[in-house]
Amino acid sequence: SIELEKTLLPIRFPIMRGLVGRRVFIIHENHQAQYDSIDSIADLKNHMGIQGLGWADKQILETAGLQQKEKLYDDIFIEINAGSRCYFPRGVVEVFSEILDKKNEMPNLVVEKNILLVYKIAVFFFVNPSNQELANVITTGFINAYEDGSYQRFFYNHPLIKRSLEKADLKNRTIIELANPFLSSETEAIPK
């Protein structure tokens, strides 16, 4: 958030390479058909999403005109497993491990097959604002690793990232892009 970036010193290197802003949905297995025909934000506006209490994503989605409600994190899974028609947008690197973790107790949870929400959001490291030396060392390390390709090799070969990208099948999903008006100008300026 802009407030956090003012309070702490951000290392403006998006460590998740934007994947947190690539969202797929957790839904009840019996409700896939109601999402099959969605191919625009206008279609998605007819459905209700669920977010965790106080999550920044809620603001982004609501600003785009998408209906959202809030619940405690664990209660979201319980509600969807019980038959709710709501969708729970999750980052592609989060969703499959969450489904796997809950498989035995909540067998009705599945990853929706067709939709990919895309919006710009970054995950940064933050340091104490008085520790510019540490910020410089971390920034230099990220830049060097990015420029020599070792960061990308590490990132895309990490088992969680690799497995998530394979399972998410991003190339065959309907992309619905959303603006994120809550980014600082410095974060917005980070190149793709």
Side-chain angles (χ1 to χ4, degrees), residues 8 10 14 22 28 54 58-59 61 71 105 109 114 124 128 130 136 145-146 150 152 161 178 184 188:
L8 298 172
R22 303 292 186 267
H28 188 283
K58 182 177 183 276
Q59 265 189 308
L61 299 173
K71 282 196 161 266
E105 65 213 43
L109 301 176
N114 302 313
F124 295 145
N128 187 309
S130 65
N136 293 342
Y146 185 80
S150 60
Q152 295 89 316
I161 303 297
L178 308 178
S184 67
E188 185 65 53

Side-chain angles (χ1 to χ4, degrees), residues 5-190:
E5 290 180 30
K6 288 179 181 175
T7 305
L8 298 172
L9 182 57
I11 309 304
R12 290 189 197 282
F13 186 92
I15 59 175
M16 294 303 294
R17 297 191 50 87
L19 288 181
V20 174
R22 303 292 186 267
R23 300 267 164 170
V24 295
F25 303 159
I26 293 175
I27 61 169
H28 188 283
E29 65 180 350
N30 292 341
H31 302 314
Q32 177 62 52
Q34 78 181 40
Y35 292 93
D36 285 343
S37 61
I38 294 174
D39 63 5
S40 69
I41 192 166
D43 295 336
L44 190 55
K45 286 180 180 180
N46 297 317
H47 300 271
M48 177 66 71
I50 305 179
Q51 293 290 315
L53 293 172
W55 289 4
D57 301 279
K58 182 177 183 276
Q59 265 189 308
I60 296 166
L61 299 173
E62 286 180 336
T63 299
L66 299 175
Q67 303 174 70
Q68 301 293 301
K69 65 180 182 177
E70 289 181 303
K71 282 196 161 266
L72 293 172
Y73 175 77
D74 290 329
D75 292 344
I76 295 171
F77 296 100
I78 293 168
E79 179 177 326
I80 292 174
N81 186 67
S84 170
R85 294 187 176 276
C86 293
Y87 63 91
F88 183 24
R90 304 301 293 142
V92 295
V93 296
E94 302 165 314
V95 70
F96 297 102
S97 59
E98 288 175 331
I99 293 281
L100 184 61
D101 183 51
K102 306 212 177 291
K103 185 178 183 177
N104 291 334
E105 65 213 43
M106 298 184 200
N108 300 318
L109 301 176
V110 295
V111 177
E112 193 281 328
K113 297 175 183 173
N114 302 313
I115 301 167
L116 177 65
L117 283 185
V118 175
Y119 51 90
K120 192 171 185 176
I121 193 163
V123 176
F124 295 145
F125 282 119
F126 288 85
V127 298
N128 187 309
S130 65
N131 200 341
Q132 186 64 54
E133 183 179 349
L134 177 59
N136 293 342
V137 167
I138 295 171
T139 300
T140 299
F142 273 133
I143 290 169
N144 290 343
Y146 185 80
E147 288 177 351
D148 71 14
S150 60
Y151 183 79
Q152 295 89 316
R153 283 190 301 278
F154 168 78
F155 185 83
Y156 288 112
N157 287 300
H158 187 282
L160 175 64
I161 303 297
K162 195 172 187 173
R163 188 172 48 246
S164 296
L165 290 175
E166 288 169 0
K167 286 184 167 193
D169 192 25
L170 301 181
K171 292 177 185 171
N172 293 312
R173 290 178 172 269
T174 298
I175 297 172
I176 299 175
E177 291 194 49
L178 308 178
N180 181 354
F182 304 103
L183 294 175
S184 67
S185 56
E186 296 88 354
T187 297
E188 185 65 53
I190 296 171

